[in-house]
Amino acid sequence: MILFEALYVAPPALTAQAPILVIAGPLIGACAAALSPGGRTAWMVSVLTAAFALWMAVAVAGEVAREGVIDYALGGFAPPMGIALRIDALGATMALLVASIGVMGALYSGHALESEVKAEKRTLFQSGYLLCLAGFLGLVFTGDAFNAFVFLEVSSIGTYALVAVGEARDRRALPAAFSYLIFGTVGATLYVLGVGFLYAATGTLNMVDMAMRLATLGDNSAVQAGLAFVVAGLGVKAAMFPLHGWLPGAYAGAPSLVSMFLAATATKAAIYLIIRFVFDVFPEGEFGEVFLSWILAPLAAAAVIICSVQAIFENEVRRILAFSSVAQVGFILLGVSLATPAGLSAGMFYLVAHALMKGALFMAVGAFAVSVRARTVEDFSGIAREAPWSAAAFGVGAASLAGVPLTMGFLAKWSLVSAALQAGEIWIVAVLAIGSLLTLIYVGRMLEVMFFRAPVRGAERAREAPVGVLAPLFVLAGLSLWFGVDATLPASMANASASALVGAAP
Amino acid sequence: MSEIALQVNFGLNIALLLMLVAIGLAIARTRSLLAAILLMGVYSLASAVWLIVMDAADVAFTEAVVGAGISTVVLLGAILLVRAGPVRHNWRMTIVPAVLVLGVGGLLVYAVTGLPEFGDPASPTNAHVGRRYLIQTPDEIGVPNVVTAVLASYRGFDTLGETVVVFAAGIGVALMLGFGPRSNLPPAPAATGDHHVVLRVTAKLLIPLIALFAFYVQFHGDLGAGGGFQAGVILAVAPILHALVFGLRGTIAALPVRAVRSIATMGVLLYSGVGVVCMINGGGFLDYDYLFPPSVEAMIPPGLMGDPDHAHHWGQHFGIFFIELGVLLTVAATMVTIFYGFAGRAAEEPGAST
Amino acid sequence: MSSGELLILLTLALPLFSAAVSYAVGRMPDVRETLTLVACIGLCIITIAMFMRVGAGDAPELVIAQPMSGLEIAFRLEPLGALFAVMASVLWAVNSLFSIGYMRGAREANQTRFYVCFALAMFGVMGVAMAANLFTLFIFYEALTLATYPLVTHKGDAAARRAGRIYLATLVGASVVLFLPGIIGVASVAGSTTFTPGGLLPGTTSVVIENVLLLLLVFGAAKAALIPLHGWLPAAMVAPAPVSALLHAVAVVKAGVFTILKISAYIFGPELITALPAATWILWLAAATIVIASLVALTKDDLKARLAWSTVGQLAYITSAAMLPFASGLVAGGLHMVMHAVAKITLFICAGAIYVATGAAKVSEMGGAGRRMPILLTFFFIASLSVIGLPPMGGMWSKFLLVDASFGSGEWLTAAAMIVSSLLSVAYLLPVAFNALFAPAGVKGPEFTRPGGVPGAALTAAGVTAIGCLALFVAAEFIADYLEPLGAFTLMEAAP
Amino acid sequence: MNVAVTHFNYLAAVVLMMIGLYVLFSTGNLIKRMIGLALFQTSTALFYISLGKVSGGTAAIRIYADSPEARALAAQLDPAYVQQFGVGGVVYSNPLPHVLILTAIVVGVATLSVGLSIAVRIREAYGTVEAGEIEAVARVDAAGAGRGP
C-alpha cells in the first residue's frame, strides 16, 4: 500500500466521492450500455465505465493508504441509521483487483463476444456485465450486512443470464445456469437468514455496530446459527467445498468472458465477505477458532485434494480449469484458516495470484475459441503451433497455476507454506504439497498436449486471436510473470489487508 | 393492556400461520404443476393477510401484488411454454433432501430458541435502530409513513440496489427469451370473434382505472401503504391486460419493446441521477437534503403545504418523489418486458423437439 | 557493473543465446552446429576465467531480483560451484562434438529442438552451479528438469513418452513434495536460504526439525537418484546417447549430487551433519544403494542400462561423501563428482559410437568389437578403469579419499560397501572391454552398418575425455587443494 | 410460557422454509423446483416480519396522539407500557424488517422470472424440463464433446 500513499490521481472533490462512484459508475454505465444502439457502442461504454471504476478504485486505494479506513455515509445518515460504505486496506485491494479484471474483461469482450454471443444480444450482454461489476464492487465496499445481500443479488441475477447465454456455443450452459441459479439463490437466502438471526440478536445491520454488540453478548444459539448460516450462504457463492456443485458446469458452459470474469472475481468477492464476517464481525473467542480450525480448514483441505483429483480425471479443458478453481479456493481458505497475519496475508496474495492466472487461462481458452471449436484436452493438441501467442499466455497462466518458480503462483504457494510452517500446522503443509503435485499433473497434461502433440483437428485450423483479445490476455499473463519476479506491490497490499483484519503487521 | 384484544390478535396470527403451513404441505404434495402454482397464489394472499395482522401493511400490499399477482402470471406463462406434464415423483430422490431438511431444520429450531420472545418490545431488534427510525423520522424526513422514510431515504441505497435487481432481471429475461428466432407473434386481432365484445369494453374501461390506481398507490406512498414497487406492478397490469384482450401484436405496436426497455433504463438512471445531483450540490450520494442548491432552498417559503418549518424537508420530499418515480418506471417497464418475453415466445407444438 | 557480475551474466547469457541462435538458424544445420561449438568454447573460456578468480580468493556476486523479502534470485561463486561450472562447460563442448557425429550418423529427427534444449539445459546447469541460495538453485534445478524433458522424449514414440512421464513425475514430484517444502522450511526457520560457509542452520532450530529438513532436502534432490527415487534414471535410457551422456555425466545427475554437497556444506555445515541421526540413516541407505545398484548392473545386458545402474551406484558415493561426519568427505565428494563425470561421459560416448557404427546395443553383441574399433574400445577400457578406481586413472584418488574418509569417521559400513562395489564394478565393466578387445579368434564382432564406421567427431570426443581420465590422475591434488576451503571453515572452528 | 408458544411464529417460518427446501430438492421438474425455491425465499419474510412485531403495536404510519384512532389504540394498552415503548403516545411495530422484506420479495420475483426464462430455454433446447432426462442428454453431449451440438 506504500505505493498508493503518494498517489493523488483524482481531484479532491472527486476523491471524496470516489467510494460511491466506484459502484455508481458501473451502474450508470450499465444503463448507458442498455440504451446504446449497437454492440460496438455498448462495448465502448463498457470499457470507459470499467476504466472509470478502476480510476476511482485507485483513488480510494490512495485515500485508504493515507487515512487507514474510509467511511462513507450514504444519504447523509450516520450508521447504524443509514447504510455506510466502509473501506479498509482489504476492501481497497479487492476493489482494485475486481476493477482491474473488469477493465481487462471489458477490453477483451470487444472481439471475444463476436464468436460466442449473438449480435442482437451484445448490448444487453454488456449491460449485464457492468451490472455484475457494480455488484461485486458494491459487495466489496459495503459496511452493511443487508446491503451486501442486495449487491450479492445484483451481481447474481445478471450472472445467471450471462452464463446461460453460453448456450450459443454449448447447450449445456442452460442447465448449468439453472443449477447455478438454484444454488446461488439458496445460498443468498441462507445468508439473509443468517443476517436475520444476527439482526435479531443485535438490532442492527451495520457490520461495525453489529461487531460491537456481538462482543458484549454471551453465548447465544441464535448468534451461533446466524454466523453458521452467513458462512454457509456465502460459502455457496464462494464455491467452498462441498457447496461448489454449481461451479464446474457454470464455468464450462458460460461464454469465456463470463468464465474469466467469474473465476477471477465472483468467488473472490464471496471469500472476501466470509473473511469480513469471520474476522471483523464475529466476536473473538472459542466459536471463531473452532470454526476456523475444525470446519474451514478441513473442508478447504478436502477441496484441495478432492477437486484436484477430479480435475485430473476431467476431459474438457474448461471443466479442468473449473475444478481447479474450487481446489484453488481451498488453497486460499487454508491460508485464511490459519488466522495469523502471515496466513491471512498469504491467503490474500494467493487470491490475487489466482485471479490473475485463472483470468489469463480462461481468456486464452476464449482466444482459441475465436477460431476453433475445441472442448476436450485432445481437441487442443498442437494448438501451440497454430496460435503460438495465445498458447504462450496460456502456458504462463498454467505455469503460475502449477506454481512454477518466477511466477506469481510460486510466490503465493511459497508464502502459504511459510505461513503454515510458522503456525506449526504441518498437516496443512502436507496438504499444500500434495495439492501442488496434483495441480502439476493436470496442468502438465494440458501443456503436453498443447505444446508437444501434433494437431488432430483435421481440416479445422486454429488461427491466432486478434490483437483486441491478445492485449488484455497478455496483460494478465504478464502480470503473473512480473509479480513473480517483483511482488512488492501485491505483497504489500496483502500485508496491509492482513493487518487491517488482525491488527498486527506480519 | 387489554389482554383480549391481544389474544385475538395472537390467535389470528396462529390460525393464519397454520393455514400457511397447510398450503405449503399441499404444494409439496400435489403432482399437478397448475395446482401448485395456484396454491402459491393462495399462499401469497394468505400471507398478505397475515402480514396485515403483523402491522406490515406495505409488505402485505407488495406480497399481494408481486407474490399473488405477477409471480403467478409468470409461472403460468412458463408452464404454458414448457408444456410439462404432471410432476414425476421418484422415491430415491426423497431421502437425501429429507435428511438435509431435517438437518437444517434442526439447526434452525436450535437457533430459534435463542431468539427473544415474539412481540417483545424490548428485544434488540425493536429497541435499537428500529425504534430510532420511529423517533427521528418526523424530524429528519418528515413523511408520515416511516416504512417509506426508511425505504427511500435512510436505506435508499438498498432500494437503488433493489431497483437494479429488477432491471437486471429484465435484462436476464430479455437475454434468454427476447425476441429471438423462436418467437412468433400471435396473429393479428382480427381473428378474435365478436363474442369478446364484453371483454373488450370492460378492458377498455379497466385500463385507465388501473393506471389511475397505480398512480394513486404511487403518490400515496409517503402517506400510507404503497410506493413505487407496488405501483409499478399495478401499472404494468394495464398493458398486460391490453395484450391479453387485444393481442400482443397490437400492444407491442403501441408500446414497442425498445421503448419499454428504455423506460426501464430511465428509471434506474433517474434514481441514480438523483444521487448524483445530491453529490454535485455538495452532499453525499442520495443525500436528499442537498437535492436543491441552497439558493433554491432559500426560496421555499416556510409553512408551504402544511409543513410548518423545515425547509429541507422539501429536499427529502422531492428526493423520495423522484426516486419512487424511478422505481415505478423501472418496475413497470421490467414487468412488461418479462411479460413480452414469455408471451412472445411461441409455444411449441406437442411432440416437436429440437 | 563489475567484471565479476559481467562474468556471471555472460555465463548465463551464452547458453541462452546459443539456444536462441540454434532456433533461429535451425534450417541450416552446418551454421547451427558451428555456432553451438563456438558457444561451447566461449562458455569454457568464461567458466575457466571464473574458476581462476575463485581460486585467487575472489567471489563474484550478482543479485538479479528480490521477489519477496527473504527470497532473492542471486548468484555467488565458491570453489565447488566454480569447479562444477568448469566441468559442465568443458564436457558440454565435448558432448556437443559427439552429438554432431551421433545425430547426423543416426539421422535423428527434430535436431534443432535437440540443440535448443541442450543449450537450455546448460543454462540450467550454470544457474545451479552459481546459485547463491537454495531458492535460486531450485529455480534453475527445475529449469534443467524441464529443458531435459523434451530430450528424454526425443524419439517421440510410446516408450519415450512413458519414460518422459516417469522422468517428470519423479523429478518434479520430489521437488514439489519434498525439496520445496524443505527449502521453505529452511527459509522459515533461518529467515533466508543463502548458502553460508559453515552452514546456515546451526543454532536456529531444534534437532527434530533439522533432521526433517535434511531428509526433505536430500530426498527432494531426486536427481541424485538415491534409492528409492532412482527409477527415472534407468527409464530415461530410451533417450539418444548424447542425451544419456548429458544426463548421466554432466548435467542432471551431477546437479543432484552437487545440490546435496552444497546443502551439506553451506546449509547444514559439516559440524551439524555430524550431529544428525538422519545423516547416518542416509549413509546407510546410500551404502545399500551402492551395493544394490552394482548388483543390478551386473544383470543388465543392454550396455546403456548397465552404465545407468552403474551411475546410480556412483552417485550414492557422492551422497555418502556429503553425509560423512568429516569435512574431508566434502572434498572427496567434489573430487569424485569430477572424476566420475569424465569417466562416465567417455563410456557413454563409446557406447553411442558403437551403436551408431554397428547398431549393437547389447553387451552380448559386442564380443570382438575391438577388431574393427580398437581405439574406441581402448578409450572405453581406460574409462572403465577410472570408474573402478584403479591407477593410473583419476578415479583412483577420489575413491581412495572416500574410503579413507569413511574409515576415518568410523563408518565401516560405508567403507565396506564402497570396496564391495568397486569389486562388483570390475565384474560388470571390465568384461565388456576385455571381450571386445581380446576376443577369441572365432568371434567376428559386429559389422559396421554405417559407411565409414565410427564417426570421427565421436572418436575425437571419446579421446579427449579418455585422456582427461589419465590427466586427472595428475591433476587430482590440484583440485583437492582447490576445494580445501569447503572443509577449512569447520576445521579452523573446531581446532581450539 | 412454553417456547412452542412464545416462539410459535419462528417455528412456523422454519417449517415453511423446510417445506420449500424439500420441494426444491426432491423433484427433478425445473418448474416445481422454482416453486420450491420461491416458497423457501418467501418464508424468510415470515421470520423477519415476526421479529419486528411489537405487542399492541400498529403499522408504522404516523398517527397523531390526540386523534381518535390513537386514543382507541392506546385504550387497549397499559399506559405505562405506552409510555415506555410508544413513540408520541402510540406503540408502533418495527418498520425496519418491513423494508428489508420488501427488498427480499422483489429480489424473489426477479429470481423467479430469470429462473423460469432459463427453464423455458432448456425446454426448447432439450425437449424436457426433467432434470434426469436433461442429464442423460448432457452425458451424450459430453461423450460427443469436440464435435459440437
Side-chain angles (χ1 to χ4, degrees), chain A residues 471-493:
Chain A
L473 174 58
F474 273 35
V475 171
L476 286 186
L479 282 180
S480 284
L481 274 184
W482 171 254
F483 289 146
V485 178
D486 179 8
T488 324
L489 177 66
S492 71
M493 278 160 56

Side-chain angles (χ1 to χ4, degrees), chain A residues 210-254:
Chain A
M210 198 181 262
M212 269 168 15
R213 288 169 164 263
L214 282 178
T216 60
L217 279 175
D219 201 27
N220 180 322
S221 66
V223 174
Q224 290 171 359
L227 301 180
F229 280 112
V230 164
V231 172
L234 293 172
V236 174
K237 294 274 178 187
M240 200 167 89
F241 188 87
L243 306 171
H244 66 282
W246 57 270
L247 187 144
Y251 282 17

